[in-house]
Amino acid sequence: MKFYLLVLSVMFMTCSLSAQNSASATKSGSSEENKNTSAGRVKVPEILTKLDVLDDVEIEGYELTFKSVVSDGRCPKDVTCVWPGEAEILIEINDGTETVSRKIAIPALGFEKKVLTTPGHIVYLKNLAPYPIKANETIEAYQLLIKILPI
């Protein structure tokens, strides 16, 4: 009986030690699985600023104002559409001496469009929230999602 227990424990130890495959791990401790991800780097989450309608943000003397949503033709989530649609917004950029209004079409899936460059920052337009869920839904509280990056 003791002999069988000894044989079973040796077999168990052999199996558990062979599960630790040292051939696939490199000196840095990363495995083959980690090499298949984007070069083993962690993607840093984006930090977005939300602007409500008629809100503004000041960046180095420039003032970016989310004026309005001109139209929202994005396909609602509960509807099957041929085209995902887009929303059109109006923003104003004031540099202290001049105000420029711009209409920008935002695709339904969002994008990254540079809207302002200052000596120290770049401002990208990302998306419009919330996304419509039902057909003929009226959205009252739109938010413009922007990303501000230092140069």
Side-chain angles (χ1 to χ4, degrees), residues 38 41-47 147:
S38 60
R41 296 183 184 169
V42 175
K43 185 177 179 183
V44 178
E46 292 182 333
I47 298 173
K147 179 170 70 170

Side-chain angles (χ1 to χ4, degrees), residues 64-83:
L64 174 70
T65 306
F66 176 30
K67 294 302 278 185
S68 66
V69 176
V70 177
S71 66
D72 190 356
R74 298 176 292 173
C75 180
K77 288 182 181 179
D78 290 348
V79 178
T80 302
C81 300
V82 177
W83 185 59

Side-chain angles (χ1 to χ4, degrees), residues 33-53:
E33 183 179 311
N34 289 339
K35 288 181 183 178
N36 293 335
T37 61
S38 60
R41 296 183 184 169
V42 175
K43 185 177 179 183
V44 178
E46 292 182 333
I47 298 173
L48 301 177
T49 301
K50 295 179 181 180
L51 290 179
D52 293 326
V53 177

